[in-house]
mmCIF file of all heavy atoms in Angstrom:
data_model
loop_
_atom_site.group_PDB
_atom_site.id
_atom_site.type_symbol
_atom_site.label_atom_id
_atom_site.label_comp_id
_atom_site.label_asym_id
_atom_site.label_seq_id
_atom_site.Cartn_x
_atom_site.Cartn_y
_atom_site.Cartn_z
ATOM 1 N N MET D 23 65.385 45.451 30.817
ATOM 2 C CA MET D 23 64.988 45.478 32.251
ATOM 3 C C MET D 23 63.665 44.822 32.388
ATOM 4 O O MET D 23 62.683 45.000 31.605
ATOM 5 C CB MET D 23 64.932 46.917 32.637
ATOM 6 C CG MET D 23 66.211 47.596 32.847
ATOM 7 S SD MET D 23 67.110 47.004 34.305
ATOM 8 C CE MET D 23 65.957 47.620 35.549
ATOM 9 N N ALA D 24 63.573 43.925 33.370
ATOM 10 C CA ALA D 24 62.198 43.364 33.660
ATOM 11 C C ALA D 24 61.289 44.423 34.320
ATOM 12 O O ALA D 24 61.588 45.481 34.780
ATOM 13 C CB ALA D 24 62.368 42.183 34.751
ATOM 14 N N SER D 25 59.978 44.237 34.151
ATOM 15 C CA SER D 25 59.002 45.087 34.589
ATOM 16 C C SER D 25 58.805 44.847 36.184
ATOM 17 O O SER D 25 58.840 43.710 36.512
ATOM 18 C CB SER D 25 57.595 44.890 33.912
ATOM 19 O OG SER D 25 56.655 45.670 34.595
ATOM 20 N N SER D 26 58.445 45.918 36.892
ATOM 21 C CA SER D 26 58.170 45.744 38.280
ATOM 22 C C SER D 26 56.733 45.390 38.542
ATOM 23 O O SER D 26 56.285 45.016 39.680
ATOM 24 C CB SER D 26 58.580 46.941 39.021
ATOM 25 O OG SER D 26 57.784 48.101 38.683
ATOM 26 N N VAL D 27 55.841 45.477 37.446
ATOM 27 C CA VAL D 27 54.428 45.089 37.634
ATOM 28 C C VAL D 27 54.290 43.687 37.901
ATOM 29 O O VAL D 27 54.901 42.820 37.267
ATOM 30 C CB VAL D 27 53.836 45.488 36.298
ATOM 31 C CG1 VAL D 27 52.203 45.108 36.344
ATOM 32 C CG2 VAL D 27 53.630 47.042 36.176
ATOM 33 N N PRO D 28 53.595 43.226 38.950
ATOM 34 C CA PRO D 28 53.382 41.847 39.221
ATOM 35 C C PRO D 28 52.850 40.954 38.019
ATOM 36 O O PRO D 28 52.091 41.499 37.357
ATOM 37 C CB PRO D 28 52.400 41.898 40.317
ATOM 38 C CG PRO D 28 52.602 43.155 41.029
ATOM 39 C CD PRO D 28 52.921 44.145 39.916
ATOM 40 N N PHE D 29 53.436 39.819 37.837
ATOM 41 C CA PHE D 29 53.090 38.782 36.816
ATOM 42 C C PHE D 29 53.453 39.178 35.436
ATOM 43 O O PHE D 29 53.391 38.356 34.530
ATOM 44 C CB PHE D 29 51.523 38.624 36.879
ATOM 45 C CG PHE D 29 50.925 38.166 38.166
ATOM 46 C CD1 PHE D 29 50.118 39.012 38.792
ATOM 47 C CD2 PHE D 29 51.291 36.988 38.691
ATOM 48 C CE1 PHE D 29 49.418 38.649 39.967
ATOM 49 C CE2 PHE D 29 50.799 36.549 40.007
ATOM 50 C CZ PHE D 29 49.938 37.493 40.597
ATOM 51 N N LEU D 30 53.914 40.361 35.162
ATOM 52 C CA LEU D 30 54.340 40.785 33.724
ATOM 53 C C LEU D 30 55.497 40.111 33.239
ATOM 54 O O LEU D 30 55.635 39.912 32.067
ATOM 55 C CB LEU D 30 54.391 42.322 33.629
ATOM 56 C CG LEU D 30 54.306 42.905 32.185
ATOM 57 C CD1 LEU D 30 52.982 42.559 31.617
ATOM 58 C CD2 LEU D 30 54.424 44.331 32.276
ATOM 59 N N ASP D 31 56.513 39.826 34.152
ATOM 60 C CA ASP D 31 57.695 39.113 33.716
ATOM 61 C C ASP D 31 57.910 37.849 34.687
ATOM 62 O O ASP D 31 57.377 37.927 35.765
ATOM 63 C CB ASP D 31 58.856 40.099 33.827
ATOM 64 C CG ASP D 31 59.173 40.725 32.506
ATOM 65 O OD1 ASP D 31 59.249 40.027 31.545
ATOM 66 O OD2 ASP D 31 59.263 41.881 32.557
ATOM 67 N N PRO D 32 58.431 36.826 34.106
ATOM 68 C CA PRO D 32 58.663 35.636 34.868
ATOM 69 C C PRO D 32 59.566 35.911 36.205
ATOM 70 O O PRO D 32 60.324 36.885 36.109
ATOM 71 C CB PRO D 32 59.385 34.672 33.932
ATOM 72 C CG PRO D 32 59.853 35.486 32.934
ATOM 73 C CD PRO D 32 59.059 36.652 32.868
ATOM 74 N N PRO D 33 59.529 35.100 37.187
ATOM 75 C CA PRO D 33 60.121 35.429 38.521
ATOM 76 C C PRO D 33 61.690 35.530 38.316
ATOM 77 O O PRO D 33 62.368 36.353 38.971
ATOM 78 C CB PRO D 33 59.881 34.113 39.129
ATOM 79 C CG PRO D 33 58.506 33.598 38.911
ATOM 80 C CD PRO D 33 58.563 33.882 37.229
ATOM 81 N N TYR D 34 62.249 34.694 37.321
ATOM 82 C CA TYR D 34 63.766 34.764 37.272
ATOM 83 C C TYR D 34 64.244 36.158 36.758
ATOM 84 O O TYR D 34 65.369 36.546 37.031
ATOM 85 C CB TYR D 34 64.271 33.633 36.439
ATOM 86 C CG TYR D 34 64.148 33.804 34.927
ATOM 87 C CD1 TYR D 34 65.199 34.281 34.169
ATOM 88 C CD2 TYR D 34 62.984 33.403 34.204
ATOM 89 C CE1 TYR D 34 65.166 34.392 32.784
ATOM 90 C CE2 TYR D 34 62.891 33.671 32.905
ATOM 91 C CZ TYR D 34 63.993 34.197 32.206
ATOM 92 O OH TYR D 34 63.886 34.353 30.776
ATOM 93 N N LEU D 35 63.427 36.731 36.069
ATOM 94 C CA LEU D 35 63.772 38.184 35.549
ATOM 95 C C LEU D 35 63.480 39.212 36.574
ATOM 96 O O LEU D 35 63.905 40.437 36.404
ATOM 97 C CB LEU D 35 63.065 38.472 34.282
ATOM 98 C CG LEU D 35 63.510 37.626 33.056
ATOM 99 C CD1 LEU D 35 62.797 38.137 31.770
ATOM 100 C CD2 LEU D 35 65.061 37.895 32.770
ATOM 101 N N ASN D 36 62.695 38.943 37.684
ATOM 102 C CA ASN D 36 62.541 39.922 38.607
ATOM 103 C C ASN D 36 63.358 39.631 39.818
ATOM 104 O O ASN D 36 63.006 40.200 40.962
ATOM 105 C CB ASN D 36 61.016 39.826 39.142
ATOM 106 C CG ASN D 36 60.147 40.502 38.033
ATOM 107 O OD1 ASN D 36 60.458 41.505 37.440
ATOM 108 N ND2 ASN D 36 58.967 39.861 37.852
ATOM 109 N N GLY D 37 64.459 39.108 39.634
ATOM 110 C CA GLY D 37 65.510 38.984 40.762
ATOM 111 C C GLY D 37 65.402 37.796 41.661
ATOM 112 O O GLY D 37 66.131 37.709 42.699
ATOM 113 N N LEU D 38 64.276 36.908 41.409
ATOM 114 C CA LEU D 38 64.192 35.833 42.374
ATOM 115 C C LEU D 38 65.169 34.755 41.879
ATOM 116 O O LEU D 38 65.394 34.561 40.828
ATOM 117 C CB LEU D 38 62.734 35.339 42.347
ATOM 118 C CG LEU D 38 61.702 36.333 42.962
ATOM 119 C CD1 LEU D 38 60.274 35.801 42.826
ATOM 120 C CD2 LEU D 38 61.952 36.754 44.258
ATOM 121 N N PRO D 39 65.664 33.972 42.951
ATOM 122 C CA PRO D 39 66.589 32.864 42.692
ATOM 123 C C PRO D 39 65.932 31.741 41.825
ATOM 124 O O PRO D 39 64.832 31.433 41.763
ATOM 125 C CB PRO D 39 66.970 32.273 44.051
ATOM 126 C CG PRO D 39 66.472 33.351 44.983
ATOM 127 C CD PRO D 39 65.307 34.123 44.339
ATOM 128 N N SER D 40 66.789 31.234 40.906
ATOM 129 C CA SER D 40 66.300 30.089 40.021
ATOM 130 C C SER D 40 67.157 28.932 40.107
ATOM 131 O O SER D 40 68.363 29.141 40.014
ATOM 132 C CB SER D 40 66.165 30.626 38.586
ATOM 133 O OG SER D 40 65.887 29.592 37.641
ATOM 134 N N ALA D 41 66.649 27.732 39.953
ATOM 135 C CA ALA D 41 67.438 26.558 40.065
ATOM 136 C C ALA D 41 67.956 26.210 38.524
ATOM 137 O O ALA D 41 68.785 25.331 38.424
ATOM 138 C CB ALA D 41 66.701 25.414 40.622
ATOM 139 N N TYR D 42 67.449 26.976 37.645
ATOM 140 C CA TYR D 42 67.672 26.453 36.194
ATOM 141 C C TYR D 42 68.662 27.407 35.480
ATOM 142 O O TYR D 42 69.412 27.094 34.688
ATOM 143 C CB TYR D 42 66.338 26.534 35.468
ATOM 144 C CG TYR D 42 65.382 25.607 36.002
ATOM 145 C CD1 TYR D 42 64.079 26.175 36.473
ATOM 146 C CD2 TYR D 42 65.505 24.169 36.154
ATOM 147 C CE1 TYR D 42 63.106 25.409 37.049
ATOM 148 C CE2 TYR D 42 64.525 23.455 36.791
ATOM 149 C CZ TYR D 42 63.310 24.020 37.211
ATOM 150 O OH TYR D 42 62.382 23.206 37.748
ATOM 151 N N TYR D 43 68.571 28.724 35.837
ATOM 152 C CA TYR D 43 69.279 29.781 34.880
ATOM 153 C C TYR D 43 70.606 30.159 35.443
ATOM 154 O O TYR D 43 70.692 30.415 36.607
ATOM 155 C CB TYR D 43 68.372 31.022 34.769
ATOM 156 C CG TYR D 43 67.043 30.605 34.137
ATOM 157 C CD1 TYR D 43 65.945 30.691 34.880
ATOM 158 C CD2 TYR D 43 66.878 30.159 32.870
ATOM 159 C CE1 TYR D 43 64.544 30.443 34.352
ATOM 160 C CE2 TYR D 43 65.648 29.753 32.373
ATOM 161 C CZ TYR D 43 64.522 29.888 33.098
ATOM 162 O OH TYR D 43 63.350 29.555 32.606
ATOM 163 N N LYS D 44 71.592 30.172 34.617
ATOM 164 C CA LYS D 44 72.920 30.607 34.880
ATOM 165 C C LYS D 44 73.238 31.905 34.310
ATOM 166 O O LYS D 44 72.359 32.413 33.514
ATOM 167 C CB LYS D 44 74.004 29.582 34.484
ATOM 168 C CG LYS D 44 73.711 28.129 35.090
ATOM 169 C CD LYS D 44 74.713 27.130 34.312
ATOM 170 C CE LYS D 44 74.223 25.660 35.030
ATOM 171 N NZ LYS D 44 75.237 24.705 34.258
ATOM 172 N N GLU D 45 74.387 32.415 34.612
ATOM 173 C CA GLU D 45 74.705 33.739 34.048
ATOM 174 C C GLU D 45 74.708 33.795 32.509
ATOM 175 O O GLU D 45 74.299 34.777 31.857
ATOM 176 C CB GLU D 45 76.115 34.190 34.532
ATOM 177 C CG GLU D 45 76.425 35.658 34.120
ATOM 178 C CD GLU D 45 75.547 36.638 34.668
ATOM 179 O OE1 GLU D 45 74.906 36.525 35.673
ATOM 180 O OE2 GLU D 45 75.257 37.725 33.842
ATOM 181 N N SER D 46 75.152 32.658 31.929
ATOM 182 C CA SER D 46 75.084 32.582 30.546
ATOM 183 C C SER D 46 73.685 32.642 29.900
ATOM 184 O O SER D 46 73.420 33.324 28.808
ATOM 185 C CB SER D 46 75.772 31.311 29.976
ATOM 186 O OG SER D 46 74.960 30.130 30.563
ATOM 187 N N HIS D 47 72.712 32.171 30.674
ATOM 188 C CA HIS D 47 71.302 32.226 30.223
ATOM 189 C C HIS D 47 70.824 33.674 30.179
ATOM 190 O O HIS D 47 70.168 34.161 29.302
ATOM 191 C CB HIS D 47 70.394 31.486 31.141
ATOM 192 C CG HIS D 47 70.639 29.967 30.993
ATOM 193 N ND1 HIS D 47 71.229 29.219 31.999
ATOM 194 C CD2 HIS D 47 70.335 29.058 30.063
ATOM 195 C CE1 HIS D 47 71.240 28.033 31.626
ATOM 196 N NE2 HIS D 47 70.697 27.788 30.468
ATOM 197 N N TYR D 48 71.305 34.274 31.210
ATOM 198 C CA TYR D 48 70.862 35.818 31.430
ATOM 199 C C TYR D 48 71.389 36.640 30.228
ATOM 200 O O TYR D 48 70.784 37.603 29.690
ATOM 201 C CB TYR D 48 71.252 36.387 32.693
ATOM 202 C CG TYR D 48 70.422 35.837 33.923
ATOM 203 C CD1 TYR D 48 70.957 34.949 34.750
ATOM 204 C CD2 TYR D 48 69.216 36.220 34.144
ATOM 205 C CE1 TYR D 48 70.216 34.379 35.836
ATOM 206 C CE2 TYR D 48 68.411 35.772 35.190
ATOM 207 C CZ TYR D 48 68.979 34.838 35.997
ATOM 208 O OH TYR D 48 68.161 34.257 37.027
#
Side-chain angles (χ1 to χ4, degrees):
M23 286 288 292
S25 170
S26 59
V27 174
F29 302 116
L30 197 55
D31 270 303
Y34 80 96
L35 286 180
N36 282 323
L38 295 180
S40 170
Y42 306 116
Y43 304 111
K44 302 174 183 176
E45 186 56 36
S46 59
H47 293 109
Y48 290 104

